[in-house]
Amino acid sequence: MSTARERILEATEELLATKDALAISTRAICDRAKVGMPEIYRQFGDKQGLLTAVADIGFERFLAEKRRNPLTEDPVADLRTAWDSHVAFALRNPHLYRLMFTPTGEAKPGAIKEAQAILLTAVERCRDAGRLRTAPELAGRSILSANVGVCMMALSFPALFESPDISRSVRDAVIGKVTGDEREDARIGEATVLAQALVGTLTGTAPLGGAALEGLTRALRTPAGPSEP
């Protein structure tokens, strides 16, 4: 038989399947979990404590998928696979993903460090293969920042950013930059600018306006022409 804590967590996850965390009331959670209002405060301290616990569960699932990503003899290709699986998780779990990667309040999901550690291991495989041209820590954080940025834009502005071509272009620009595997594609310059803009928009340091975003996404959607000889 499930405990009150388990029922509250399960109810919150179920509600997150259809709406954002900020739109979910503690009353709705309690009604679904069949517990009284004080139970949330006994188990989690407050609603924010509950949301942090749910975010940690989301990270457990996210990291479990990361660990299942296959390893091949090409560590750079494996980085691209990891990027794509990250985006797929975000698109399948939009509200949970936002909760995981845009936490509010002082409590932050501790599992973000493990996500970084898994990515660092993947980047170090590239270094060991002689295919990394920057510090592993910087490369890992750059990739994760751009990966999260693409996901957030796809979830927030699907009309502009949901196309898989956008994600692939930014992926190849960022991973190509840190590994030296840049491809001869006229869109890579635009993708690099977009990757930088995504981070700036998320942090509020250099947000792009709507016209600039539309111009970049049009460029990235345009099929690449043949490479110069």
Side-chain angles (χ1 to χ4, degrees):
M1 184 175 181
S2 60
T3 65
R5 181 182 181 88
E6 291 169 339
R7 293 200 305 276
I8 292 170
L9 289 169
E10 183 178 353
T12 307
E13 288 184 82
E14 290 172 353
L15 291 168
L16 274 171
T18 58
K19 61 179 65 176
D20 188 74
L22 295 178
I24 300 173
S25 68
T26 52
R27 169 57 64 191
I29 295 169
C30 291
D31 287 348
R32 195 176 191 94
K34 295 181 170 53
V35 299
M37 288 284 285
E39 196 63 39
I40 286 181
Y41 300 94
R42 279 197 292 269
Q43 297 290 339
F44 303 97
D46 54 19
K47 182 183 178 183
Q48 187 56 52
L50 167 59
L51 293 178
T52 300
V54 173
D56 279 328
I57 292 174
F59 266 109
E60 288 176 7
R61 294 177 183 169
F62 174 76
L63 294 173
E65 290 191 13
K66 287 290 183 185
R67 296 186 197 99
R68 288 196 296 270
N69 283 337
L71 295 182
T72 70
E73 294 181 358
D74 185 341
V76 177
D78 292 346
L79 277 180
R80 295 191 185 101
T81 297
W83 174 293
D84 292 343
S85 71
H86 184 134
V87 173
F89 180 92
L91 296 179
R92 289 197 312 271
N93 306 278
H95 304 299
L96 177 60
Y97 185 88
R98 283 198 188 95
L99 178 62
M100 290 163 55
F101 284 95
T102 57
T104 58
E106 295 183 2
K108 310 295 183 185
I112 186 66
K113 293 181 180 178
E114 186 175 352
Q116 287 182 306
I118 290 174
L119 181 54
L120 180 60
T121 298
V123 169
E124 287 174 339
R125 289 183 65 229
C126 296
R127 178 201 60 195
D128 296 343
R131 299 178 67 185
L132 192 67
R133 62 183 188 183
T134 188
E137 293 80 4
L138 177 59
R141 291 182 182 184
S142 298
I143 293 169
L144 183 58
S145 296
N147 209 170
V148 173
V150 163
C151 292
M152 288 300 181
M153 288 303 195
L155 297 180
S156 300
F157 305 101
L160 289 175
F161 292 98
E162 198 172 40
S163 167
D165 289 342
I166 302 294
S167 176
R168 285 192 290 264
S169 292
V170 178
R171 177 198 68 190
D172 291 345
V174 175
I175 293 177
K177 188 71 174 177
V178 300
T179 64
D181 278 11
E182 291 144 315
R183 298 178 178 180
E184 294 297 324
D185 185 331
R187 297 172 298 169
I188 290 299
E190 288 91 344
T192 302
V193 173
L194 179 55
Q196 295 168 343
L198 291 170
V199 176
T201 299
L202 285 172
T203 60
T205 57
L208 279 182
L213 289 175
E214 288 186 15
L216 283 170
T217 52
R218 279 198 301 272
L220 289 169
R221 285 197 181 101
T222 301
S227 302
E228 293 294 331

